[in-house]
Amino acid sequence: MAPQDSSTTVAAPTDLAPGFAGIAEDWSSDQRTFKNVPWGKAMMWIFLLSDTFIFSSFLVGYMKVRLSTTTPWPKASEVFALSFGGEPIPLILIAIMTFILITSSGTMVLAVNYGYRKDKNKTALLLIITALLGASFVGMQAFEWTKLIVEEGVRPWGNPMGASQFGSVFFMITGFHGFHVSVGVLFLILVARKVWRGDYDTEKRGFFTSRKGNYEIVETMGLYWHFVDLVWVFIFAFFYLW
Amino acid sequence: MSNGMLEETQVVPLAEIEEVDLYHAHHWITKYVFSQDAKIIAIQYSATAILIGLVGLVLSWLMRLQLGFPEVFDFIDAESYYQYVTMHGMIMVIYLLTALFLGGFGNYLIPLMVGARDMVFPYMNMLSYWVYLIAVLVLTASFFVPGGASGAGWTLYPPQAISEGTPGIDGGIILMLVSLVLFIIGFTMGGLNYVVTVLQARARGMTLMRMPLTVWGIFVATILALLAFPALFVAGVMMLLDRVLGTSFFMPEMIVQGEMTSHENGSPLLFQHLFWFFGHPEVYIVALPAFGVVSDIISTHARKNIFGYRMMVWAIVAIGGLSFIVWAHHMYVSGMNPYFGFFFATTTLIIAVPTALKMYNWVLTLWKGNIHLTIPMLFCVAFILTFLNGGITGLFLGNVIVDIPLSDTMFVVAHFHMVMGIAPVLVIFAAIYHWFPKMSGRMLHEGWGQFHFWITFLGSYLIYFPMHYLGFIGVPRRYFEIGETSFIPPSAATLNEFITVVVLIVGFAQVVFIANIIISIFKGKPAGDNPWNATSLEWQTATTPPGHGNFGDELPVVYRWAYAYSVPGVEADFVPQNMPPDEVKRTDTATGAVADDPPELHQ
Ligand code: HEM
Ligand SMILES: [Cu+2]
């Protein structure tokens, strides 16, 4: 009988049965289903899956109310236009916001990259830049909301341009997304601070998780941030281009 | 299973997961109140769920008093009757069953059964309970606000739920929705923990395909919940906005009590879709853990391996997947394109296939087993009978043409109580009788258990069986009073009286159960570590109840599945999952060689 601490490890992938049985065998493998995936990251993926269902439900709800209302839907290109020197440019603010958010995904990727090289100054700097870009996105969203509310008279329960659901879904869904971005900014700052202090070099325990910290947290943070970005692409398409 | 796998199981893979050190409590407050230990959290969850469940139980008595003896009780008027119905339904489904199965049993059993020290993120796990508690308090508060609790029915259908004239429109419905949103947030924090613990933190040798079915049931149910609750969350947020800000997501243009409302063009059907996209998986969120628990308990108490383990796992997964594409069978009477009706009827009937498969496998597990009619076993057999009954009426209701006349009658009430009211509650009792010895170190009293079992089981049948008949003759559901009609014979009233009397008897019999628990905690017969001679890891802990970190100094190593009962050639009639093969005592010592190990030892 082989001793408990036998040096034989898990069967190599080549030993797996072909086809579906092999997939099942691989997934059900010893101790961990996803090898080398830290707990926090696995948890983030599953949370994002759940969150995807929330956003999908919101967007399906939006489509349904938009299809079932009999009042005409306001024209996005007009409502969301900004005037520069008297000429209204459709969707200009949104274009800038989208550009900023996509850029912030780029800086986030770089932060993860430098995180894995344990280059703490560059990582922290890139995280802060990402947070700043995120904050400016939220700022512009606040500006957009103010303009809609104050100048165009859009309210959650009604608006002068058409179907009352226009304001309802707009404030609800962009608000929910903006909340996600704001939470992200907050955590980006927290993670940046920890990176800066060197918490991840010394594996200092996190307050929230009470687990040892390391640079994989930067990647987990990145997953969230890219998700929030990706969701924005859908919101953008459904609200501003439809 | 290929031969290659068989040999591979004889060596134990290296540890892949570092030992984690846990948060050690230094003060009784962090030890027993704000505890991060999954076992304490489990007990907190269970106690809260059972307490609020008792409120739900009392509400059901009040409803039955009214239905059995109309015009006798002055303090029950139509308004309060609707509030009882609503709060009873919501409390039982969400705050009792979901919380108890996932937050209670999930927290207690997952780490112990997969051989982990605790959940992966204990702090978040703790928060999960406290948010749940707040949700329960907010819900309870709705009884006391002006206007009282919501009377919209547990399905909260708009426009009625938030229109003038429905009880609880002032504060009740708002608190109900806030409480639901809080519940979902709290559950998510716990649910993420359960899923990641099962996926990423198992003991050495514990493959997914060696996990006890209890863990499989809770695991898949948690995934369902993580994907289904979002729809309820969204529906809840939208309805809150409709109610508080006057938006029109769900509210059409209409005249209420002679006045035009300010809403316009909303879609009540949208709510129904969102609600049932959550609501149907919810049935399985409650049922799948019950399936798992039943499989483990009957296998242990019949001293026989579960029949068709792999089939059972795939059936759980298949039921979980299918449960997301049947939701509109709750909406046949809402008006639907016939092709959609056809689609949803078909998927509904297809779900019966894996479910029936599980029924057969349970029966085949019992077949020729060495059945010990212990209390947990009795409750599990009762579950099989009850669930079968509810499953069969489900086939009726799944068909559009049969459902349309039966919808909104007592037949539906009988069906869903059989299938998701009584059946899971029977499993909860089974599980408590089975695992209480591990949680407390003492046995529950057997004689009182027998008394509790027979009253509860026979009583539930006496309550719900006649309701099918009442439904057939057309007694409607959610009616405060039927009054005189041309089609309901007076004997229906007699039957209703009878049901009410049984309800009260069964209800008060639960006092015996509660007393049994409280007395046994202090005075019960000492249980020892493994009173049922069970194989799974929670019975192999160093101490009973298990201490902080579950397994003492060393984590267990798993060599086989959890169903090594009555293995031929082995002396004991069970082989614990963590017993090294060379320690297994064989009847024939001459053939103790590894090559002769019966295959059951290596599943
Ligand atoms: C203790 C035994 C129970 C009794 C005597 C009981 C009795 C009742 C009664 C009389 C109704 C109202 C039927 C009507 O519409 O006229 C009802 C509704 C309901 N019950 Fe129970 N019940 C019990 C346990 C449970 C449990 C364990 C569940 C958990 C799933 C449950 C879930 C529901 C639901 C969802 C409704 C529908 C509420 C609504 O129409 O909004 N009940 N019950
Ligand atoms: Cu259903």
Side-chain angles (χ1 to χ4, degrees):
Chain A
M1 185 72 256
Q4 270 197 30
D5 293 309
S6 154
S7 57
T8 324
T9 44
V10 218
T14 43
D15 294 352
L16 295 174
F20 187 65
I23 297 175
E25 220 172 282
D26 186 24
W27 271 57
S28 87
S29 71
D30 193 61
Q31 300 174 60
R32 287 182 297 178
T33 298
F34 305 107
K35 304 295 173 195
N36 301 319
V37 174
W39 289 342
K41 191 165 145 190
M43 190 175 271
M44 182 54 84
W45 271 112
I46 298 166
F47 168 72
L48 293 181
L49 191 64
S50 184
D51 214 14
T52 306
F53 272 63
I54 295 195
F55 276 109
S56 312
S57 302
F58 270 131
L59 287 175
V60 168
Y62 158 57
M63 292 178 217
K64 173 72 179 130
V65 291
R66 178 158 174 178
L67 290 177
S68 57
T69 178
T70 47
T71 327
W73 202 258
K75 272 214 175 64
S77 56
E78 287 162 21
V79 181
F80 297 115
L82 271 192
S83 294
F84 289 108
E87 270 299 303
I89 311 179
L91 301 183
I92 179 69
L93 180 64
I94 281 316
I96 299 173
M97 283 166 69
T98 309
F99 179 75
I100 286 183
L101 208 57
I102 305 275
T103 310
S104 78
S105 251
T107 56
M108 187 72 229
V109 169
L110 290 176
V112 174
N113 182 12
Y114 283 111
Y116 277 121
R117 297 180 194 183
K118 304 207 189 308
D119 185 336
K120 84 178 182 184
N121 292 344
K122 283 209 180 89
T123 311
L125 183 69
L126 283 159
L127 285 172
I128 290 293
I129 294 177
T130 312
L132 283 177
L133 289 171
S136 59
F137 175 87
V138 178
M140 288 192 211
Q141 198 169 39
F143 171 74
E144 185 190 28
W145 277 39
T146 321
K147 182 172 164 291
L148 281 181
I149 295 171
V150 178
E151 286 174 27
E152 324 253 352
V154 180
R155 300 283 182 275
W157 53 88
N159 63 72
M161 287 92 78
S164 77
Q165 283 88 354
F166 172 76
S168 329
V169 281
F170 179 79
F171 289 122
M172 181 176 69
I173 297 183
T174 58
F176 196 66
H177 177 264
F179 172 72
H180 273 71
V181 179
S182 311
V183 170
V185 169
L186 209 74
F187 273 87
L188 278 170
I189 295 172
L190 285 177
V191 173
R193 178 160 170 268
K194 289 185 171 200
V195 171
W196 198 276
R197 266 198 326 219
D199 284 11
Y200 297 151
D201 299 313
T202 56
E203 302 207 321
K204 192 161 181 267
R205 268 168 211 290
F207 166 73
F208 197 60
T209 60
S210 66
R211 300 281 186 217
K212 284 180 189 161
N214 57 40
Y215 280 99
E216 276 157 350
I217 288 171
V218 180
E219 191 189 346
T220 307
M221 183 67 231
L223 284 179
Y224 176 83
W225 194 255
H226 298 314
F227 170 79
V228 172
D229 239 26
L230 182 66
V231 167
W232 176 253
V233 173
F234 281 90
I235 295 179
F236 175 76
F238 280 115
F239 276 96
Y240 300 96
L241 303 183
W242 179 12
Chain B
M1 196 181 279
S2 69
N3 259 336
M5 278 290 281
L6 213 151
E7 271 140 42
E8 189 223 328
T9 55
Q10 291 163 17
V11 286
V12 175
L14 288 178
E16 296 173 17
I17 307 166
E18 275 182 73
E19 264 285 349
V20 290
D21 31 338
L22 299 165
Y23 170 81
H24 293 289
H26 301 294
H27 194 273
W28 65 268
I29 289 199
T30 44
K31 200 161 178 185
Y32 297 111
V33 184
F34 293 101
S35 171
Q36 299 189 22
D37 184 343
K39 295 186 295 299
I40 307 275
I41 297 171
I43 291 169
Q44 292 172 326
Y45 248 117
S46 309
T48 314
I50 290 175
L51 279 180
I52 192 75
L54 288 176
V55 175
L57 180 71
V58 172
L59 291 172
S60 78
W61 299 346
L62 296 172
M63 287 186 285
R64 278 315 315 181
L65 284 178
Q66 169 60 30
L67 293 178
F69 308 97
E71 291 173 18
V72 173
F73 299 95
D74 287 339
F75 63 95
I76 308 176
D77 55 14
E79 290 225 326
S80 47
Y81 179 82
Y82 287 117
Q83 295 173 325
Y84 303 155
V85 172
T86 308
M87 296 301 275
H88 163 80
M90 199 60 108
I91 287 176
M92 290 298 196
V93 174
I94 309 262
Y95 299 85
L96 169 72
L97 292 179
T98 308
L100 189 52
F101 270 121
L102 302 182
F105 292 137
N107 263 316
Y108 204 88
L109 295 175
I110 290 175
L112 277 165
M113 283 186 144
V114 303
R117 293 244 177 253
D118 204 322
M119 290 291 178
V120 286
F121 291 115
Y123 184 84
M124 220 164 97
N125 202 25
M126 173 184 81
L127 283 187
S128 161
Y129 168 71
W130 293 100
V131 178
Y132 165 66
L133 182 67
I134 296 172
V136 169
L137 293 178
V138 171
L139 186 79
T140 323
S142 73
F143 282 112
F144 304 104
V145 292
S150 173
W154 88 284
T155 48
L156 304 180
Y157 275 14
Q160 176 238 346
I162 50 176
S163 294
E164 250 355 285
T166 307
I169 162 94
D170 299 322
I173 185 74
I174 297 180
L175 290 178
M176 165 79 88
L177 295 169
V178 169
S179 167
L180 284 173
V181 166
L182 285 173
F183 180 91
I184 294 167
I185 294 171
F187 168 77
T188 304
M189 293 197 265
L192 292 172
N193 256 310
Y194 317 153
V195 172
V196 178
T197 306
V198 170
L199 284 178
Q200 300 294 84
R202 280 165 277 133
R204 289 163 68 192
M206 180 66 88
T207 64
L208 286 181
M209 281 307 197
R210 282 177 176 177
M211 287 196 312
L213 286 167
T214 300
V215 181
W216 265 108
I218 296 176
F219 171 61
V220 176
T222 309
I223 295 178
L224 294 194
L226 286 173
L227 304 183
F229 274 126
L232 181 67
F233 178 88
V234 167
V237 168
M238 286 182 172
M239 196 188 264
L240 260 181
L241 293 176
D242 275 3
R243 170 67 188 77
V244 179
L245 286 187
T247 57
S248 308
F249 290 111
F250 301 136
M251 301 298 281
E253 246 157 1
M254 53 179 196
I255 296 171
V256 175
Q257 299 185 341
E259 270 179 57
M260 263 321 263
T261 63
S262 57
H263 298 290
E264 53 173 59
N265 289 330
S267 168
L269 259 188
L270 171 61
F271 178 87
Q272 295 188 19
H273 280 292
L274 288 173
F275 183 87
W276 288 113
F277 184 81
F278 144 78
H280 189 84
E282 169 64 31
V283 176
Y284 288 99
I285 292 167
V286 171
L288 292 180
F291 289 173
V293 169
V294 166
S295 309
D296 283 354
I297 293 185
I298 62 174
S299 168
T300 304
H301 295 258
R303 317 307 296 161
K304 212 177 139 212
N305 64 303
I306 188 82
F307 187 91
Y309 173 80
R310 277 167 185 257
M311 252 191 282
M312 292 300 249
V313 170
W314 289 115
I316 289 179
V317 175
I319 293 173
L322 285 171
S323 72
F324 279 102
I325 49 167
V326 301
W327 77 88
H329 61 209
H330 297 275
M331 298 166 56
Y332 291 149
V333 290
S334 306
M336 191 186 306
N337 183 316
Y339 287 107
F340 282 119
F342 175 74
F343 172 81
F344 283 105
T346 311
T347 51
T348 303
L349 299 186
I350 289 176
I351 271 209
V353 176
T355 315
L357 192 146
K358 296 190 80 73
M359 295 301 294
Y360 288 125
N361 283 359
W362 287 323
V363 175
L364 288 169
T365 304
L366 291 172
W367 182 253
K368 293 195 172 171
N370 173 11
I371 297 178
H372 296 243
L373 283 180
T374 53
I375 313 286
M377 181 60 137
L378 287 173
F379 272 111
C380 284
V381 175
F383 162 84
I384 295 177
L385 293 174
T386 319
F387 196 82
L388 179 64
N389 187 315
I392 289 175
T393 50
L395 293 180
F396 286 66
L397 296 174
N399 284 290
V400 186
I401 33 163
V402 188
D403 178 68
I404 285 174
L406 288 177
S407 192
D408 281 320
T409 67
M410 276 306 192
F411 188 87
V412 174
V413 176
H415 157 72
F416 74 67
H417 276 93
M418 279 286 184
V419 82
M420 82 164 316
I422 295 311
V425 169
L426 291 172
V427 177
I428 284 172
F429 288 137
I432 292 178
Y433 282 96
H434 184 75
W435 277 294
F436 180 84
K438 183 50 52 177
M439 299 167 78
S440 68
R442 292 174 186 276
M443 307 295 285
L444 284 168
H445 191 274
E446 172 90 14
W448 286 13
Q450 291 270 354
F451 175 79
H452 175 223
F453 168 73
W454 288 108
I455 298 242
T456 307
F457 172 51
L458 296 181
S460 330
Y461 255 85
L462 290 179
I463 296 168
Y464 292 107
F465 220 71
M467 272 192 210
H468 292 93
Y469 166 73
L470 287 178
F472 260 130
I473 60 175
V475 176
R477 156 189 190 200
R478 288 184 181 168
Y479 266 39
F480 167 61
E481 210 179 332
I482 310 169
E484 300 257 320
T485 63
S486 57
F487 60 93
I488 300 173
S491 61
T494 326
L495 200 50
N496 262 330
E497 282 176 28
F498 169 76
I499 295 177
T500 299
V501 173
V502 183
V503 162
L504 294 178
I505 297 174
V506 174
F508 283 109
Q510 307 310 314
V511 173
V512 172
F513 173 65
I514 305 270
N516 196 350
I517 288 192
I518 293 173
I519 297 176
S520 298
I521 291 178
F522 303 104
K523 296 232 165 97
K525 203 169 76 190
D529 285 335
N530 191 357
W532 311 116
N533 290 337
T535 55
S536 43
L537 292 180
E538 80 274 25
W539 300 103
Q540 325 301 335
T541 53
T543 52
T544 300
H548 190 50
N550 290 347
F551 292 101
D553 293 337
E554 229 169 295
L555 279 175
V557 176
V558 172
Y559 297 90
R560 62 188 65 81
W561 69 346
Y563 301 97
Y565 290 106
S566 309
V567 182
V570 174
E571 231 175 64
D573 76 341
F574 72 109
V575 189
Q577 278 189 284
N578 62 343
M579 180 181 276
D582 46 0
E583 285 177 25
V584 178
K585 285 209 188 65
R586 286 154 218 288
T587 40
D588 184 358
T589 40
T591 56
V594 178
D596 293 329
D597 276 353
E600 287 94 319
L601 285 182
H602 293 301
Q603 288 268 359

